[in-house]
Amino acid sequence: MTSTKKQTQVRLDEDVLAAGKGAAHARGLDFNKYVERLIIEDTTGARAAGMTAAQRFIDEHGTFLDDLEQQFDAPYAEPQPGAAA
């Protein structure tokens, strides 16, 4: 069986490599597939489209999400009776 894929070598700082391997593992991918997807997403505009959509969502619903977060955090904002200070 012959692969049409080409092999390349990339030199990365240890912490960058570890972060990449961790991100790949978290997504259930091997490192090579993770890097391949990053490149495809970056060069096809998929990543930019996703970031644009995310920013639009934040712009349209950010105030609602901030208010909701404050409501969820409110019970923990003030010390509870009997709690150690």
Side-chain angles (χ1 to χ4, degrees):
M1 204 187 266
T2 310
S3 173
T4 59
K5 294 187 177 196
K6 302 295 180 189
Q7 184 172 343
T8 188
Q9 183 177 6
V10 178
R11 295 185 186 277
L12 302 170
D13 291 332
E14 284 185 43
D15 56 337
V16 173
L17 179 60
K21 286 184 175 184
H25 179 74
R27 289 164 178 79
L29 301 171
D30 66 46
F31 182 72
N32 287 336
K33 185 54 126 176
Y34 174 70
V35 171
E36 182 179 37
R37 282 192 180 179
L38 286 178
I39 293 168
I40 289 169
E41 289 171 2
D42 187 48
T43 58
T44 62
R47 181 173 302 281
M51 294 302 290
T52 299
Q55 187 61 55
R56 186 173 54 247
F57 183 84
I58 290 169
D59 291 345
E60 292 175 9
H61 305 289
T63 302
F64 169 77
L65 295 172
D66 288 341
D67 291 344
L68 188 61
E69 182 178 25
Q70 288 178 1
Q71 290 175 24
F72 283 134
D73 289 344
Y76 308 103
E78 296 188 24
Q80 301 297 313

